[in-house]
Short mmCIF file of all heavy atoms in Angstrom, two decimals:
data_model
loop_
_atom_site.label_atom_id
_atom_site.label_comp_id
_atom_site.label_asym_id
_atom_site.label_seq_id
_atom_site.Cartn_x
_atom_site.Cartn_y
_atom_site.Cartn_z
N LEU A 838 -16.01 14.15 -1.25
CA LEU A 838 -15.62 12.86 -0.68
C LEU A 838 -14.18 12.99 -0.37
O LEU A 838 -13.34 13.33 -1.22
CB LEU A 838 -15.85 11.77 -1.79
CG LEU A 838 -15.66 10.32 -1.36
CD1 LEU A 838 -16.53 9.96 -0.14
CD2 LEU A 838 -15.93 9.41 -2.53
N GLN A 839 -13.86 12.62 0.88
CA GLN A 839 -12.46 12.66 1.34
C GLN A 839 -12.19 11.67 2.43
O GLN A 839 -13.13 11.30 3.02
CB GLN A 839 -12.07 14.09 1.75
CG GLN A 839 -12.76 14.63 2.94
CD GLN A 839 -12.36 16.05 3.27
OE1 GLN A 839 -11.85 16.82 2.40
NE2 GLN A 839 -12.62 16.43 4.47
N GLY A 840 -11.01 11.34 2.55
CA GLY A 840 -10.55 10.34 3.61
C GLY A 840 -9.12 9.91 3.52
O GLY A 840 -8.54 10.02 2.47
N LEU A 841 -8.65 9.39 4.51
CA LEU A 841 -7.28 8.86 4.65
C LEU A 841 -7.32 7.31 4.81
O LEU A 841 -8.00 6.82 5.80
CB LEU A 841 -6.48 9.57 5.77
CG LEU A 841 -5.18 9.00 6.03
CD1 LEU A 841 -4.24 9.34 4.91
CD2 LEU A 841 -4.65 9.57 7.32
N VAL A 842 -6.61 6.67 4.07
CA VAL A 842 -6.48 5.13 4.18
C VAL A 842 -5.03 4.90 4.44
O VAL A 842 -4.17 5.33 3.65
CB VAL A 842 -6.92 4.42 2.84
CG1 VAL A 842 -6.89 2.88 3.09
CG2 VAL A 842 -8.30 4.82 2.44
N GLU A 843 -4.73 4.20 5.51
CA GLU A 843 -3.40 3.69 5.71
C GLU A 843 -3.15 2.28 5.51
O GLU A 843 -4.03 1.44 6.18
CB GLU A 843 -2.94 4.08 7.16
CG GLU A 843 -2.71 5.56 7.27
CD GLU A 843 -2.17 5.89 8.67
OE1 GLU A 843 -2.45 5.19 9.67
OE2 GLU A 843 -1.44 6.96 8.85
N LEU A 844 -2.32 1.90 4.71
CA LEU A 844 -2.07 0.45 4.37
C LEU A 844 -0.71 0.02 4.86
O LEU A 844 0.27 0.79 4.73
CB LEU A 844 -2.13 0.17 2.77
CG LEU A 844 -3.43 0.58 2.13
CD1 LEU A 844 -3.20 0.47 0.71
CD2 LEU A 844 -4.51 -0.41 2.60
N GLU A 845 -0.61 -1.14 5.41
CA GLU A 845 0.68 -1.80 5.70
C GLU A 845 0.98 -2.77 4.48
O GLU A 845 0.14 -3.69 4.25
CB GLU A 845 0.64 -2.48 6.98
CG GLU A 845 2.05 -3.20 7.30
CD GLU A 845 1.91 -4.05 8.57
OE1 GLU A 845 1.58 -5.17 8.48
OE2 GLU A 845 2.25 -3.48 9.59
N VAL A 846 2.05 -2.51 3.91
CA VAL A 846 2.34 -3.30 2.59
C VAL A 846 3.60 -4.09 2.89
O VAL A 846 4.62 -3.48 3.37
CB VAL A 846 2.50 -2.29 1.44
CG1 VAL A 846 2.97 -3.02 0.19
CG2 VAL A 846 1.24 -1.51 1.17
N GLU A 847 3.59 -5.33 2.58
CA GLU A 847 4.79 -6.15 2.71
C GLU A 847 5.29 -6.48 1.24
O GLU A 847 4.53 -6.94 0.40
CB GLU A 847 4.48 -7.41 3.38
CG GLU A 847 5.72 -8.31 3.65
CD GLU A 847 5.44 -9.56 4.47
OE1 GLU A 847 4.28 -9.89 4.74
OE2 GLU A 847 6.37 -10.25 4.79
N LEU A 848 6.53 -6.21 1.07
CA LEU A 848 7.24 -6.48 -0.19
C LEU A 848 8.41 -7.39 -0.09
O LEU A 848 9.07 -7.39 1.05
CB LEU A 848 7.84 -5.16 -0.80
CG LEU A 848 6.81 -3.98 -0.92
CD1 LEU A 848 7.65 -2.72 -1.26
CD2 LEU A 848 5.77 -4.26 -1.92
N ASN A 849 8.61 -8.26 -1.06
CA ASN A 849 9.83 -9.12 -0.96
C ASN A 849 11.09 -8.36 -1.46
O ASN A 849 10.93 -7.17 -1.96
CB ASN A 849 9.59 -10.48 -1.72
CG ASN A 849 9.50 -10.35 -3.16
OD1 ASN A 849 9.89 -9.37 -3.74
ND2 ASN A 849 9.02 -11.37 -3.82
N LYS A 850 12.18 -8.97 -1.43
CA LYS A 850 13.48 -8.20 -1.78
C LYS A 850 13.45 -7.86 -3.25
O LYS A 850 14.28 -6.95 -3.61
CB LYS A 850 14.70 -9.11 -1.42
CG LYS A 850 14.83 -10.45 -2.11
CD LYS A 850 16.03 -11.14 -1.60
CE LYS A 850 16.14 -12.60 -2.26
NZ LYS A 850 17.28 -13.35 -1.69
N LYS A 851 12.65 -8.51 -4.09
CA LYS A 851 12.57 -8.08 -5.48
C LYS A 851 11.64 -7.01 -5.78
O LYS A 851 11.47 -6.62 -6.94
CB LYS A 851 12.31 -9.35 -6.39
CG LYS A 851 13.43 -10.39 -6.38
CD LYS A 851 13.10 -11.59 -7.16
CE LYS A 851 14.22 -12.66 -7.04
NZ LYS A 851 13.90 -13.81 -7.86
N GLY A 852 10.96 -6.45 -4.74
CA GLY A 852 9.92 -5.50 -4.94
C GLY A 852 8.59 -5.97 -5.35
O GLY A 852 7.77 -5.16 -5.77
N LYS A 853 8.32 -7.21 -5.11
CA LYS A 853 7.01 -7.76 -5.39
C LYS A 853 6.07 -7.69 -4.23
O LYS A 853 6.61 -7.98 -3.10
CB LYS A 853 7.08 -9.18 -5.94
CG LYS A 853 7.96 -9.38 -7.22
CD LYS A 853 7.22 -8.66 -8.37
CE LYS A 853 7.98 -8.78 -9.64
NZ LYS A 853 7.61 -7.95 -10.73
N LEU A 854 4.84 -7.41 -4.43
CA LEU A 854 3.80 -7.39 -3.34
C LEU A 854 3.68 -8.81 -2.74
O LEU A 854 3.41 -9.70 -3.42
CB LEU A 854 2.54 -6.80 -3.85
CG LEU A 854 1.37 -6.63 -2.89
CD1 LEU A 854 1.76 -5.66 -1.80
CD2 LEU A 854 0.12 -6.24 -3.64
N VAL A 855 3.80 -8.94 -1.44
CA VAL A 855 3.57 -10.14 -0.75
C VAL A 855 2.19 -10.07 -0.04
O VAL A 855 1.41 -11.05 -0.24
CB VAL A 855 4.72 -10.39 0.33
CG1 VAL A 855 4.29 -11.66 1.19
CG2 VAL A 855 6.01 -10.53 -0.34
N SER A 856 1.94 -9.07 0.63
CA SER A 856 0.61 -8.85 1.23
C SER A 856 0.38 -7.43 1.64
O SER A 856 1.27 -6.56 1.52
CB SER A 856 0.53 -9.69 2.55
OG SER A 856 1.53 -9.18 3.47
N TYR A 857 -0.91 -7.04 2.04
CA TYR A 857 -1.25 -5.82 2.55
C TYR A 857 -2.45 -5.86 3.40
O TYR A 857 -3.15 -6.83 3.30
CB TYR A 857 -1.49 -4.78 1.37
CG TYR A 857 -2.69 -5.08 0.53
CD1 TYR A 857 -3.96 -4.76 0.97
CD2 TYR A 857 -2.62 -5.86 -0.62
CE1 TYR A 857 -5.02 -5.06 0.22
CE2 TYR A 857 -3.69 -6.21 -1.39
CZ TYR A 857 -4.96 -5.72 -0.98
OH TYR A 857 -6.05 -6.12 -1.73
N ILE A 858 -2.56 -5.00 4.36
CA ILE A 858 -3.68 -4.85 5.22
C ILE A 858 -4.07 -3.38 5.39
O ILE A 858 -3.23 -2.53 5.30
CB ILE A 858 -3.48 -5.53 6.57
CG1 ILE A 858 -2.36 -4.90 7.34
CG2 ILE A 858 -3.44 -7.03 6.42
CD1 ILE A 858 -2.30 -5.31 8.81
N ILE A 859 -5.29 -3.11 5.65
CA ILE A 859 -5.70 -1.71 5.89
C ILE A 859 -5.52 -1.47 7.44
O ILE A 859 -6.11 -2.27 8.24
CB ILE A 859 -7.21 -1.51 5.49
CG1 ILE A 859 -7.39 -1.59 4.03
CG2 ILE A 859 -7.65 -0.12 6.04
CD1 ILE A 859 -8.78 -1.44 3.57
N LEU A 860 -4.62 -0.63 7.78
CA LEU A 860 -4.35 -0.27 9.19
C LEU A 860 -5.42 0.69 9.71
O LEU A 860 -5.81 0.65 10.88
CB LEU A 860 -3.01 0.27 9.40
CG LEU A 860 -1.79 -0.62 9.16
CD1 LEU A 860 -0.54 0.12 9.31
CD2 LEU A 860 -1.86 -1.73 10.09
N SER A 861 -5.74 1.65 8.83
CA SER A 861 -6.67 2.70 9.16
C SER A 861 -7.62 2.94 8.04
O SER A 861 -7.25 3.31 6.94
CB SER A 861 -5.92 3.98 9.48
OG SER A 861 -6.86 5.02 9.78
N THR A 862 -8.97 2.81 8.28
CA THR A 862 -9.93 2.97 7.14
C THR A 862 -10.34 4.39 7.01
O THR A 862 -10.26 5.20 7.97
CB THR A 862 -11.13 2.08 7.39
OG1 THR A 862 -12.19 2.33 6.42
CG2 THR A 862 -11.77 2.37 8.78
N SER A 863 -10.80 4.81 5.81
CA SER A 863 -11.23 6.11 5.57
C SER A 863 -12.74 6.30 6.03
O SER A 863 -13.34 7.30 5.98
CB SER A 863 -11.24 6.40 4.06
OG SER A 863 -12.12 5.53 3.32
N LYS A 864 -13.36 5.08 6.39
CA LYS A 864 -14.77 4.97 6.75
C LYS A 864 -15.61 5.09 5.46
O LYS A 864 -16.86 5.30 5.58
CB LYS A 864 -15.17 6.01 7.76
CG LYS A 864 -14.24 6.01 8.97
CD LYS A 864 -14.99 6.07 10.27
CE LYS A 864 -14.20 6.01 11.58
NZ LYS A 864 -12.82 5.81 11.50
N SER A 865 -14.96 4.92 4.31
CA SER A 865 -15.71 4.95 3.04
C SER A 865 -15.34 3.69 2.27
O SER A 865 -14.06 3.60 1.98
CB SER A 865 -15.39 6.19 2.19
OG SER A 865 -15.83 6.00 0.87
N HIS A 866 -16.19 2.75 2.02
CA HIS A 866 -15.87 1.65 1.29
C HIS A 866 -15.22 1.88 -0.12
O HIS A 866 -14.31 1.29 -0.58
CB HIS A 866 -17.16 0.70 1.15
CG HIS A 866 -16.91 -0.50 0.28
ND1 HIS A 866 -16.19 -1.55 0.84
CD2 HIS A 866 -17.25 -0.91 -0.97
CE1 HIS A 866 -16.10 -2.48 -0.20
NE2 HIS A 866 -16.71 -2.09 -1.23
N LEU A 867 -15.79 2.93 -0.79
CA LEU A 867 -15.35 3.35 -2.06
C LEU A 867 -13.87 3.77 -2.02
O LEU A 867 -12.98 3.38 -2.81
CB LEU A 867 -16.23 4.51 -2.57
CG LEU A 867 -15.80 5.10 -3.94
CD1 LEU A 867 -16.07 3.95 -5.04
CD2 LEU A 867 -16.52 6.39 -4.22
N LEU A 868 -13.45 4.60 -1.05
CA LEU A 868 -12.04 5.03 -0.92
C LEU A 868 -11.11 3.88 -0.53
O LEU A 868 -10.00 3.74 -0.98
CB LEU A 868 -11.98 6.22 0.01
CG LEU A 868 -12.69 7.48 -0.40
CD1 LEU A 868 -12.49 8.55 0.61
CD2 LEU A 868 -12.28 7.94 -1.86
N ASP A 869 -11.59 3.06 0.52
CA ASP A 869 -10.78 1.93 0.88
C ASP A 869 -10.51 0.96 -0.27
O ASP A 869 -9.48 0.53 -0.42
CB ASP A 869 -11.46 1.20 2.05
CG ASP A 869 -11.52 1.98 3.35
OD1 ASP A 869 -10.83 3.01 3.47
OD2 ASP A 869 -12.25 1.59 4.20
N HIS A 870 -11.53 0.68 -1.01
CA HIS A 870 -11.39 -0.14 -2.17
C HIS A 870 -10.48 0.51 -3.27
O HIS A 870 -9.68 -0.25 -3.81
CB HIS A 870 -12.79 -0.47 -2.82
CG HIS A 870 -12.79 -1.46 -3.87
ND1 HIS A 870 -12.42 -2.77 -3.67
CD2 HIS A 870 -12.94 -1.35 -5.26
CE1 HIS A 870 -12.51 -3.45 -4.85
NE2 HIS A 870 -12.80 -2.55 -5.79
N ALA A 871 -10.50 1.77 -3.50
CA ALA A 871 -9.67 2.40 -4.37
C ALA A 871 -8.21 2.24 -3.95
O ALA A 871 -7.35 2.14 -4.81
CB ALA A 871 -10.10 3.92 -4.58
N ALA A 872 -7.95 2.44 -2.65
CA ALA A 872 -6.62 2.26 -2.14
C ALA A 872 -6.05 0.88 -2.32
O ALA A 872 -4.94 0.77 -2.73
CB ALA A 872 -6.58 2.72 -0.64
N THR A 873 -6.88 -0.13 -2.10
CA THR A 873 -6.33 -1.47 -2.19
C THR A 873 -6.21 -1.84 -3.69
O THR A 873 -5.23 -2.55 -4.07
CB THR A 873 -7.30 -2.55 -1.56
OG1 THR A 873 -8.60 -2.39 -2.05
CG2 THR A 873 -7.35 -2.34 -0.05
N ASP A 874 -7.07 -1.23 -4.54
CA ASP A 874 -6.82 -1.51 -6.04
C ASP A 874 -5.51 -0.81 -6.52
O ASP A 874 -4.80 -1.46 -7.33
CB ASP A 874 -8.00 -0.79 -6.77
CG ASP A 874 -9.22 -1.76 -6.91
OD1 ASP A 874 -9.15 -2.94 -6.58
OD2 ASP A 874 -10.28 -1.34 -7.51
N LEU A 875 -5.28 0.38 -6.01
CA LEU A 875 -4.02 1.03 -6.34
C LEU A 875 -2.83 0.21 -5.95
O LEU A 875 -1.99 0.01 -6.82
CB LEU A 875 -4.00 2.42 -5.63
CG LEU A 875 -2.73 3.21 -5.72
CD1 LEU A 875 -2.66 3.71 -7.14
CD2 LEU A 875 -2.62 4.24 -4.76
N ILE A 876 -2.78 -0.32 -4.77
CA ILE A 876 -1.69 -1.12 -4.31
C ILE A 876 -1.48 -2.45 -5.20
O ILE A 876 -0.46 -2.84 -5.57
CB ILE A 876 -1.82 -1.44 -2.82
CG1 ILE A 876 -1.57 -0.20 -1.99
CG2 ILE A 876 -0.77 -2.57 -2.41
CD1 ILE A 876 -0.25 0.53 -2.14
N GLU A 877 -2.68 -3.07 -5.46
CA GLU A 877 -2.66 -4.30 -6.15
C GLU A 877 -2.20 -4.12 -7.66
O GLU A 877 -1.66 -5.00 -8.33
CB GLU A 877 -4.04 -4.96 -6.18
CG GLU A 877 -4.42 -5.43 -4.80
CD GLU A 877 -5.85 -6.05 -4.83
OE1 GLU A 877 -6.54 -5.85 -5.84
OE2 GLU A 877 -6.22 -6.60 -3.83
N ASN A 878 -2.38 -2.94 -8.22
CA ASN A 878 -2.06 -2.70 -9.58
C ASN A 878 -0.69 -2.01 -9.79
O ASN A 878 -0.25 -1.84 -10.94
CB ASN A 878 -3.08 -1.78 -10.20
CG ASN A 878 -4.44 -2.62 -10.46
OD1 ASN A 878 -4.45 -3.63 -11.09
ND2 ASN A 878 -5.48 -2.17 -9.84
N ILE A 879 0.09 -1.75 -8.73
CA ILE A 879 1.42 -1.31 -8.88
C ILE A 879 2.20 -2.57 -9.18
O ILE A 879 2.29 -3.48 -8.41
CB ILE A 879 1.92 -0.57 -7.54
CG1 ILE A 879 1.16 0.69 -7.32
CG2 ILE A 879 3.42 -0.28 -7.73
CD1 ILE A 879 1.48 1.38 -6.07
N THR A 880 2.95 -2.53 -10.34
CA THR A 880 3.73 -3.67 -10.73
C THR A 880 5.13 -3.58 -10.40
O THR A 880 5.84 -4.60 -10.37
CB THR A 880 3.56 -3.87 -12.25
OG1 THR A 880 3.97 -2.73 -12.93
CG2 THR A 880 2.17 -4.20 -12.62
N ASN A 881 5.67 -2.37 -10.18
CA ASN A 881 7.13 -2.24 -9.94
C ASN A 881 7.41 -1.43 -8.63
O ASN A 881 7.64 -0.16 -8.73
CB ASN A 881 7.80 -1.66 -11.13
CG ASN A 881 7.80 -2.60 -12.31
OD1 ASN A 881 8.09 -3.68 -12.24
ND2 ASN A 881 7.50 -1.92 -13.44
N PHE A 882 7.43 -1.99 -7.62
CA PHE A 882 7.91 -1.44 -6.32
C PHE A 882 9.45 -1.47 -6.40
O PHE A 882 10.11 -2.36 -7.03
CB PHE A 882 7.45 -2.16 -5.03
CG PHE A 882 6.01 -1.91 -4.69
CD1 PHE A 882 5.12 -2.87 -5.08
CD2 PHE A 882 5.62 -0.80 -3.98
CE1 PHE A 882 3.77 -2.66 -4.70
CE2 PHE A 882 4.33 -0.63 -3.66
CZ PHE A 882 3.30 -1.56 -4.07
N PRO A 883 10.13 -0.50 -5.73
CA PRO A 883 11.61 -0.63 -5.76
C PRO A 883 12.18 -1.89 -5.13
O PRO A 883 11.58 -2.51 -4.25
CB PRO A 883 12.04 0.61 -4.90
CG PRO A 883 10.87 1.48 -4.87
CD PRO A 883 9.60 0.64 -5.04
N VAL A 884 13.32 -2.38 -5.63
CA VAL A 884 14.01 -3.48 -5.18
C VAL A 884 14.62 -3.11 -3.81
O VAL A 884 15.15 -2.04 -3.66
CB VAL A 884 15.06 -3.93 -6.13
CG1 VAL A 884 15.97 -5.04 -5.57
CG2 VAL A 884 14.39 -4.42 -7.51
N ILE A 885 14.64 -3.99 -2.92
CA ILE A 885 15.29 -3.76 -1.54
C ILE A 885 16.82 -3.88 -1.75
O ILE A 885 17.26 -4.85 -2.35
CB ILE A 885 14.89 -4.72 -0.52
CG1 ILE A 885 13.32 -4.60 -0.24
CG2 ILE A 885 15.64 -4.57 0.78
CD1 ILE A 885 12.75 -5.73 0.65
N PRO A 886 17.58 -2.87 -1.39
CA PRO A 886 19.07 -2.94 -1.59
C PRO A 886 19.59 -4.20 -0.91
O PRO A 886 19.29 -4.48 0.20
CB PRO A 886 19.54 -1.68 -0.92
CG PRO A 886 18.33 -0.71 -0.88
CD PRO A 886 17.13 -1.63 -0.82
N PRO A 887 20.40 -4.97 -1.62
CA PRO A 887 21.05 -6.12 -1.10
C PRO A 887 21.80 -5.92 0.18
O PRO A 887 21.87 -6.75 1.05
CB PRO A 887 22.01 -6.57 -2.23
CG PRO A 887 21.48 -6.03 -3.41
CD PRO A 887 20.94 -4.75 -2.99
N SER A 888 22.32 -4.62 0.33
CA SER A 888 23.09 -4.32 1.54
C SER A 888 22.28 -4.43 2.81
O SER A 888 22.80 -4.56 3.90
CB SER A 888 23.75 -2.96 1.47
OG SER A 888 22.73 -2.01 1.32
N LEU A 889 20.94 -4.36 2.77
CA LEU A 889 20.05 -4.49 3.95
C LEU A 889 19.99 -5.97 4.34
O LEU A 889 19.60 -6.19 5.47
CB LEU A 889 18.66 -3.97 3.62
CG LEU A 889 18.58 -2.37 3.39
CD1 LEU A 889 17.18 -1.99 3.11
CD2 LEU A 889 19.09 -1.70 4.63
N LYS A 890 20.26 -6.92 3.53
CA LYS A 890 20.24 -8.32 3.85
C LYS A 890 18.90 -8.81 4.54
O LYS A 890 18.86 -9.45 5.49
CB LYS A 890 21.45 -8.64 4.70
CG LYS A 890 22.75 -8.37 3.96
CD LYS A 890 23.93 -8.75 4.87
CE LYS A 890 25.21 -8.46 3.98
NZ LYS A 890 26.41 -8.69 4.76
N ILE A 891 17.81 -8.36 3.92
CA ILE A 891 16.56 -8.80 4.39
C ILE A 891 15.79 -9.37 3.33
O ILE A 891 15.99 -9.11 2.13
CB ILE A 891 15.75 -7.69 5.09
CG1 ILE A 891 15.48 -6.46 4.09
CG2 ILE A 891 16.35 -7.21 6.41
CD1 ILE A 891 14.62 -5.43 4.61
N GLU A 892 14.84 -10.35 3.56
CA GLU A 892 14.00 -10.96 2.58
C GLU A 892 12.75 -10.15 2.30
O GLU A 892 12.43 -10.01 1.10
CB GLU A 892 13.64 -12.40 3.07
CG GLU A 892 14.73 -13.38 3.09
CD GLU A 892 15.42 -13.58 1.81
OE1 GLU A 892 14.65 -13.86 0.83
OE2 GLU A 892 16.58 -13.56 1.79
N ASN A 893 12.12 -9.66 3.24
CA ASN A 893 10.83 -8.86 3.10
C ASN A 893 10.93 -7.59 3.94
O ASN A 893 11.71 -7.52 4.92
CB ASN A 893 9.64 -9.64 3.59
CG ASN A 893 9.34 -10.88 2.62
OD1 ASN A 893 10.04 -11.03 1.66
ND2 ASN A 893 8.32 -11.63 2.97
N ILE A 894 10.13 -6.62 3.53
CA ILE A 894 10.06 -5.35 4.29
C ILE A 894 8.66 -4.97 4.36
O ILE A 894 7.84 -5.20 3.43
CB ILE A 894 10.92 -4.30 3.63
CG1 ILE A 894 11.03 -3.07 4.49
CG2 ILE A 894 10.43 -3.89 2.20
CD1 ILE A 894 12.08 -2.06 4.13
N LYS A 895 8.18 -4.36 5.53
CA LYS A 895 6.85 -3.81 5.66
C LYS A 895 7.01 -2.31 5.72
O LYS A 895 7.82 -1.80 6.44
CB LYS A 895 6.12 -4.40 6.90
CG LYS A 895 5.76 -5.79 6.81
CD LYS A 895 5.03 -6.33 8.03
CE LYS A 895 4.79 -7.80 7.88
NZ LYS A 895 4.05 -8.31 9.14
N ILE A 896 6.09 -1.65 4.90
CA ILE A 896 6.08 -0.22 4.95
C ILE A 896 4.60 0.19 5.14
O ILE A 896 3.64 -0.57 4.77
CB ILE A 896 6.59 0.39 3.67
CG1 ILE A 896 5.85 -0.19 2.48
CG2 ILE A 896 8.09 0.11 3.54
CD1 ILE A 896 6.26 0.56 1.10
N ILE A 897 4.46 1.39 5.72
CA ILE A 897 3.11 1.97 5.81
C ILE A 897 2.94 3.07 4.84
O ILE A 897 3.75 3.93 4.75
CB ILE A 897 2.87 2.50 7.28
CG1 ILE A 897 2.94 1.30 8.27
CG2 ILE A 897 1.57 3.22 7.38
CD1 ILE A 897 2.93 1.82 9.76
N ILE A 898 1.81 2.94 4.05
CA ILE A 898 1.58 3.90 2.95
C ILE A 898 0.26 4.66 3.31
O ILE A 898 -0.77 4.01 3.28
CB ILE A 898 1.50 3.16 1.66
CG1 ILE A 898 2.79 2.44 1.32
CG2 ILE A 898 1.14 4.23 0.55
CD1 ILE A 898 2.78 1.69 0.04
N PRO A 899 0.33 5.94 3.55
CA PRO A 899 -0.89 6.71 3.71
C PRO A 899 -1.42 7.19 2.30
O PRO A 899 -0.56 7.71 1.55
CB PRO A 899 -0.45 7.84 4.64
CG PRO A 899 0.97 8.05 4.21
CD PRO A 899 1.50 6.74 3.85
N ILE A 900 -2.65 6.99 2.05
CA ILE A 900 -3.25 7.52 0.81
C ILE A 900 -4.38 8.42 1.24
O ILE A 900 -5.31 8.05 1.85
CB ILE A 900 -3.77 6.38 -0.03
CG1 ILE A 900 -2.68 5.35 -0.33
CG2 ILE A 900 -4.43 6.84 -1.31
CD1 ILE A 900 -3.07 4.16 -1.04
N ASN A 901 -4.23 9.75 0.91
CA ASN A 901 -5.21 10.76 1.27
C ASN A 901 -5.95 11.18 0.06
O ASN A 901 -5.42 11.66 -0.89
CB ASN A 901 -4.39 11.97 1.91
CG ASN A 901 -5.29 12.85 2.58
OD1 ASN A 901 -6.45 12.58 2.95
ND2 ASN A 901 -4.75 14.03 2.96
N TYR A 902 -7.23 10.98 0.23
CA TYR A 902 -8.15 11.33 -0.88
C TYR A 902 -8.84 12.63 -0.52
O TYR A 902 -9.39 12.79 0.54
CB TYR A 902 -9.20 10.29 -1.15
CG TYR A 902 -8.69 8.98 -1.75
CD1 TYR A 902 -8.41 7.90 -0.92
CD2 TYR A 902 -8.45 8.83 -3.08
CE1 TYR A 902 -7.85 6.74 -1.46
CE2 TYR A 902 -7.95 7.73 -3.60
CZ TYR A 902 -7.70 6.63 -2.73
OH TYR A 902 -7.22 5.45 -3.37
N LYS A 903 -8.86 13.52 -1.45
CA LYS A 903 -9.68 14.83 -1.20
C LYS A 903 -10.24 15.16 -2.66
O LYS A 903 -9.50 15.67 -3.50
CB LYS A 903 -8.75 15.94 -0.78
CG LYS A 903 -9.51 17.15 -0.25
CD LYS A 903 -8.56 18.08 0.32
CE LYS A 903 -9.22 18.99 1.38
NZ LYS A 903 -8.29 19.85 2.03
N MET A 904 -11.53 14.91 -2.80
CA MET A 904 -12.14 15.10 -4.13
C MET A 904 -13.07 16.35 -4.05
O MET A 904 -13.81 16.42 -3.05
CB MET A 904 -12.97 13.87 -4.59
CG MET A 904 -12.02 12.65 -4.77
SD MET A 904 -12.98 11.30 -5.22
CE MET A 904 -11.86 9.91 -4.60
N SER A 905 -13.08 17.09 -5.07
CA SER A 905 -13.97 18.26 -5.12
C SER A 905 -14.70 18.31 -6.46
O SER A 905 -14.30 17.69 -7.41
CB SER A 905 -13.31 19.53 -4.86
OG SER A 905 -12.22 19.75 -5.78
N ASN A 906 -15.72 19.04 -6.50
CA ASN A 906 -16.62 19.16 -7.77
C ASN A 906 -15.89 20.11 -8.77
O ASN A 906 -15.38 21.08 -8.55
CB ASN A 906 -17.93 19.69 -7.49
CG ASN A 906 -18.73 18.52 -6.65
OD1 ASN A 906 -18.34 17.35 -6.62
ND2 ASN A 906 -19.79 18.93 -6.07
#
């Protein structure tokens, strides 16, 4: 089982998850669900440096699964 899931993740300036969407599916419900679970369970994203003077930031996170027996 293998596949690449790309997520667009929005974080606030304190590093808290605001939202996410799947930009590119792995074509496997199991892998897509594992990727969204992973993002939802991360409790500490990095804080946005105050020097950037932004409230939220969107980043794209590729998650590549390659499982073997």
Side-chain angles (χ1 to χ4, degrees):
L838 186 59
Q839 62 185 20
L841 174 68
V842 182
E843 287 186 328
L844 299 171
E845 180 183 86
V846 176
E847 183 176 7
L848 306 172
N849 70 16
K850 64 183 176 183
K851 294 181 181 179
K853 298 295 180 192
L854 181 64
V855 174
S856 65
Y857 64 86
I858 58 169
I859 296 177
L860 292 178
S861 176
T862 178
S863 67
K864 308 222 178 2
S865 164
H866 177 73
L867 179 68
L868 296 181
D869 292 350
H870 186 68
T873 58
D874 276 354
L875 175 72
I876 293 300
E877 289 174 358
N878 287 305
I879 295 175
T880 56
N881 293 316
F882 285 98
V884 172
I885 297 173
S888 61
L889 292 180
K890 297 180 181 176
I891 57 175
E892 292 298 312
N893 291 359
I894 190 168
K895 289 183 180 180
I896 56 174
I897 296 174
I898 301 175
I900 302 173
N901 194 13
Y902 290 98
K903 193 173 207 179
M904 298 178 207
S905 59
N906 294 344

